[in-house]
Amino acid sequence: GAVKHGVLPGGCKVLLNLSVIASLSDVQVVKEVLANAFREPLIVLLRNCGLNNMEIEEIIVRLIENPNDVYDALGQSFGNPIELGIIDSAPAVIESMRSAISIASLLGTLGGIVVYERDDDFDKQESLSHNATQRELDEANYENNNTSTHIET
């Protein structure tokens, strides 16, 4: 897909650009709902990196002010998407947008929906618990695979 159809800046940059465009709309729903929805994946990505709200806002402002830059969450730096290797396949971005619109359309036809606010502390504990369990499994597999069996004849 990327070789044939090209690449786009990664790290949620396309969505942030769409957020800026949506925030300039005269249509209230676009301005209030879509602009925030386009920004949310970047916010979640940065929260998952352990950044606080003030740090996240600083990064978003800098990305908006520097339209050719992306943020490298791993290296904690800004730069050119190609040089940093932070790119997304254009077809993948387009398909993710189609899926999101499809889901939003489906939700719009429902008479109601029950949602629960995310519990960040619970999510962190779940993640830590999963990581610890995975480490234990990895260590057990390593020990099982590296244990030699001696058979006397």
Side-chain angles (χ1 to χ4, degrees):
V3 172
K4 185 176 180 182
H5 299 287
V7 295
L8 294 168
C12 304
K13 181 64 176 188
V14 172
L15 294 175
L16 182 61
N17 292 345
L18 289 172
S19 171
V20 171
I21 293 167
S23 68
L24 301 173
S25 175
D26 293 333
V27 180
Q28 199 66 23
V29 171
V30 172
K31 188 183 288 189
E32 291 179 5
V33 177
L34 277 181
N36 291 328
F38 284 139
R39 208 175 272 217
E40 191 63 22
L42 177 59
I43 292 169
V44 170
L45 173 72
L46 296 173
R47 267 198 203 117
N48 288 343
C49 293
L51 301 176
N52 63 41
N53 289 340
M54 193 168 83
E55 293 167 321
I56 291 170
E57 192 57 34
E58 288 173 7
I59 290 169
I60 289 173
V61 167
R62 183 159 172 193
L63 287 171
I64 291 170
E65 291 173 350
N66 299 286
N68 295 323
D69 285 352
V70 295
Y71 181 70
D72 178 2
L74 184 60
Q76 298 180 346
S77 62
F78 294 87
N80 179 291
I82 301 292
E83 291 171 6
L84 293 173
I86 301 176
I87 54 175
D88 290 329
S89 163
V93 173
I94 292 167
E95 188 56 37
S96 68
M97 293 300 298
R98 280 190 187 129
S99 295
I101 291 168
S102 174
I103 292 167
S105 298
L106 176 65
L107 291 175
T109 63
L110 298 175
I113 183 170
V114 176
V115 295
Y116 297 96
E117 186 173 339
R118 287 191 78 138
D119 184 345
D120 290 336
D121 292 332
F122 176 78
D123 289 345
K124 286 177 187 174
Q125 289 302 319
E126 281 288 305
S127 177
L128 292 172
S129 173
H130 172 76
N131 289 340
T133 302
Q134 188 61 48
R135 264 193 310 277
E136 290 171 9
L137 290 172
D138 290 344
E139 288 171 3
N141 285 336
Y142 178 79
E143 289 173 10
N144 289 337
N145 291 332
N146 290 317
T147 303
S148 62
T149 306
H150 179 69
I151 300 174
E152 289 188 31
T153 55

